[in-house]
Amino acid sequence: MRHAPVENEKRRMLVKTIDLRSDTITHPTEEMRRAIGTAEVGDDVFGEDPSINRLEEMAARMLGKEASMFTPSGTMSNLIAVLSHTRPGNEVLVGSESHMLWNEVGGASALGGVVMHTVPNDEDGLIDLDVMEAAIRPPNIHYPPTTLLCIENTHNRCGGAVLTPEYTSGMAAVAHRHGLSVHLDGARIFNAAVALGIPAGELARDADSICLCISKGLSAPVGSLLCGHREFVEKARKWRKMVGGGMRQAGVIAAAGIIALNTMVVRLADDHTAAQRLAHGLARIPGITSWPEKVQTNIVMFEPPASNTTPDFIQAMVSRGVRFTYPGGRRVRAVTHRMVDAADIDEALNRIEAQVGGKAET
Ligand SMILES: *Cc1c(COP(=O)(O)O)cnc(C)c1O
């Protein structure tokens, strides 16, 4: 008994950790590391970093926009989008489950001075068109003017749900008719494009701006790109400087991003296959509640048996070497990515089954 903690520690070190917390944990590939080592660089605040300029041109072209701007994170891209599209005291419509509402520290309100007006997301990440339209304030001396609609594709808290181009067009048409701009939080837009088998540009067509992350499933170490019309991006550059996101020889980062956009998009299909494997495996484990038919991309939501609180389940799984995140409520979030393969998924399923079946660790 006295030696048990030491034995546990030894065992923990022997067990390979399967990290399903996020696709953000992916490391740069060898090819990226080589490109970083030889990247051509300049001072990007002067617009003179050739690697950054190339990455920005690539992202704009892939998203069908005139221009794009590199930022250190998706959070900063979304913040700059709000700062560029609105004025303090304006109102921004966001989904009730959106990343911009939940996961960005309230930056749009704290730094942009906007009112975040939430409209309900259904479980597929969709906002009802009529409900959205009804939320837009009519002209009235009492009301803050509604000037921006933000939507999210894929939808993180709604299990990686995909918005179709038709849905996006419909929302954008109504928003534009009322004089709102439309920002698309496309941190995982390429997951949506791969799931639908269409170019990402089709998903961004009706949005005035879109941000995408290269540091998630695409495996680059850092960064996001905010894309839109040329004048929008020029305005955004000024805001980026103000919030401290103007970087100097950022080409060392862009070099990895260029490889991410060139070579890592198609392989997102592998992450989706792994998510299917995980979701269907979870559905076979007694006591686990899951919705494999809902899984469209690389995010899988499930619930542990009612005998466990979700934080306790997640903690127990840490000691079994499988890591998840906790989005709140009963749900556990698992994300597949380049650094877990089919064998890892099967092993994770075994460990989950051992946990919920109360089997001894082996
Ligand atoms: C990850 C993510 C972001 C940005 O996250 P950063 O960690 O700041 O790059 C924005 N929106 C969504 C939907 C995301 O999943």
Side-chain angles (χ1 to χ4, degrees), residues 73-75 78 99 104 152 156 185 187-188 213 216:
S73 69
T75 299
N78 282 334
H99 193 277
E104 300 183 9
E152 184 174 321
N156 188 335
D185 177 357
R188 295 190 180 84
C213 283
K216 294 191 165 169

Side-chain angles (χ1 to χ4, degrees), residues 9 63 132 166-167 278:
E9 183 59 19
L63 274 302
M132 188 279 287
E166 296 74 34
Y167 171 82
L278 177 63

